[in-house]
Amino acid sequence: MDLLRNKHVNDLKNQQRLKVYDARNRQIDKDALSRIICDQFIAQPIYRQAQTAMWYIHCRSEVRTQSALLNELATDKRIVIPYCTKDDQGHNKLGLWRLEDFAELVPGMWGILEPPSQRWGELGKEIAPEQIDCIIVPGVAFDRNGGRLGNGAGYYDRLFKNTRADAALIGVCFESQLVEQVVMDFHDVVMDYVITEKSIYAGKRRRFSS
């Protein structure tokens, strides 16, 4: 019964992903809209008060973060970026890297900039999830209640299980990526806020047990 339910939920998620991928790919003015979204994120008190903030480096048609992130490196905030790796059991996992200069990075999985693999785990550069105060979270689709649909690999879901309960989760997307209701499962985590170029939506965040 559980297997049938899981397959049904996964099928619904994949249908929703395909629909929103298309909408995101067709989105015009991505650079200009991304600047608006990132500026909104940076202006939030919850971000301004954070000592350690996690950003992502965009790929494909995601909200573009690199320009804003470059500016934030010039501030006194500790900036962290993720990279894709595996845990001891071979599950997908996000490593967390303290970024001080883009020159530290090389193209990695899917061409996304990341620290070179020989430096993974380096003392003083590797950051524990519980040290993060605020996370800007990418996604395929969001809804106005903070629901999030990722790419399906589970990287962020596993990260959220290890962050502090008070770490702010802020989803970012184009308004075209919003759906009426994201298909979610028991392990999925709702965002505190979702920021688009048009508005900031307060999420109904809750933590699910596995």
Side-chain angles (χ1 to χ4, degrees), residues 188-204:
D188 295 321
V189 176
V190 172
M191 303 291 98
D192 293 297
Y193 297 94
V194 175
I195 299 177
T196 74
E197 73 275 15
K198 292 186 178 180
S199 190
I200 299 174
Y201 304 97
K204 298 177 179 177

Side-chain angles (χ1 to χ4, degrees), residues 27-115:
Q27 178 66 57
I28 62 172
D29 298 329
K30 289 188 180 71
D31 285 333
L33 298 184
S34 295
R35 283 194 294 272
I36 293 170
I37 293 167
C38 289
D39 286 348
Q40 289 264 50
F41 172 64
I42 291 168
Q44 296 309 303
I46 204 165
Y47 174 76
R48 295 172 70 87
Q49 294 163 11
Q51 294 183 339
T52 302
M54 177 176 157
W55 285 70
Y56 70 92
I57 296 178
H58 70 268
C59 69
R60 299 188 293 274
S61 55
E62 292 176 333
V63 170
R64 296 171 179 175
T65 57
Q66 192 163 326
S67 178
L69 178 52
L70 191 60
N71 291 334
E72 286 302 289
L73 289 177
T75 70
D76 58 1
K77 196 176 296 294
R78 184 162 68 161
I79 301 296
V80 176
I81 61 162
Y83 61 90
C84 296
T85 182
K86 301 283 186 182
D87 64 17
D88 294 338
Q89 287 74 47
H91 299 134
N92 291 338
K93 172 189 172 182
L94 287 179
L96 305 176
W97 179 262
R98 181 180 180 181
L99 182 65
E100 296 169 276
D101 193 316
F102 267 79
E104 301 167 5
L105 307 177
V106 298
M109 190 177 292
W110 302 299
I112 304 171
L113 291 174
E114 65 178 30

